[in-house]
Amino acid sequence: MNSSKSPLIALALSGGGVRAMVFHLGVLQFFAERQLLERVSRISTVSGGSLLVGLMLQENKLRWPSSEMFLSLVLPSLRKKLCASSMQWSAVRQLRHPINWQFILARANLLALALEDEWGVKAKLADLPLIPEWSVNGTTAENGKRYLTKRNVELWRLLRNGSSFMMMK
């Protein structure tokens, strides 16, 4: 199924926290075992699906993994990380620093700090690969408005103070 005439694949990965991440890992394993990850051209994610794709890219030096790379490197690493540590407790541990107390009611901000401090995620949107095209969908906690984030497009990004927005390119 790896011929140039094979259809391209678009993935939609839903939210649901760690349970969604583990489910999506199984789906991606299924694809990789059939050499289909190379056919993925677009991804649309929300919440847990977004975290998973971000962590996958982090594990593979900001490149979409080949099926072989996913099975040999990315899958075992993410299985270990997701089973050996708790993202929620990683976020709570951020409160040991008094400067982070301002985020006590802003779970997303604490999670962002945890991903950076404890999981080593420091990449910027501009660092993402061009292919597959990744659309990250979300809502703001303050007003429920939807937003879409992509590489190299204007976007609304929630700042760490939890209430202000700024325009980024």
Side-chain angles (χ1 to χ4, degrees):
M1 182 127 186
N2 253 353
S3 75
S4 61
K5 293 183 181 181
S6 297
L8 296 177
I9 297 170
L11 294 176
L13 303 180
S14 66
V18 172
R19 283 183 288 259
M21 295 171 72
V22 171
F23 175 82
H24 297 320
L25 269 178
V27 170
L28 292 166
Q29 178 181 356
F30 178 88
F31 277 48
E33 289 169 347
R34 288 150 183 79
Q35 302 297 306
L36 295 174
L37 289 183
E38 292 77 7
R39 305 301 309 159
V40 174
S41 64
R42 294 175 194 251
I43 307 169
S44 181
T45 61
V46 65
S47 193
S50 301
L51 285 170
L52 177 64
V53 171
L55 291 171
M56 283 176 54
L57 292 170
Q58 176 75 20
E59 289 297 317
N60 201 42
K61 300 178 182 162
L62 297 179
R63 293 187 318 263
W64 182 251
S66 66
S67 294
E68 180 182 332
M69 189 63 74
F70 179 84
L71 293 170
S72 65
L73 173 75
V74 176
L75 179 62
S77 177
L78 288 183
R79 267 190 185 156
K80 182 177 178 182
K81 285 182 177 178
L82 291 174
C83 293
S85 64
S86 164
M87 284 189 178
Q88 287 181 330
W89 283 113
S90 296
V92 170
R93 277 194 296 276
Q94 298 306 308
L95 293 172
R96 68 181 177 238
H97 307 292
I99 195 167
N100 294 336
W101 292 354
Q102 63 185 316
F103 304 131
I104 197 157
L105 298 176
R107 186 177 66 176
N109 293 323
L110 292 172
L111 180 58
L113 290 168
L115 286 169
E116 187 173 336
D117 292 346
E118 297 187 26
W119 293 55
V121 177
K122 297 183 188 306
K124 306 292 184 218
L125 287 173
D127 299 332
L128 295 174
L130 293 172
I131 298 174
E133 181 182 326
W134 180 21
S135 300
V136 181
N137 302 276
T139 58
T140 63
E142 289 77 21
N143 58 23
K145 289 189 177 181
R146 294 183 300 241
Y147 66 92
L148 171 69
T149 303
K150 288 186 178 187
R151 183 186 192 281
N152 291 333
V153 297
E154 282 189 8
L155 62 114
W156 287 95
R157 179 173 178 216
L158 187 62
L159 294 178
R160 282 200 170 149
N161 71 11
S163 62
S164 300
F165 292 87
M166 73 177 190
M167 201 63 150
M168 299 187 65
K169 290 225 184 226

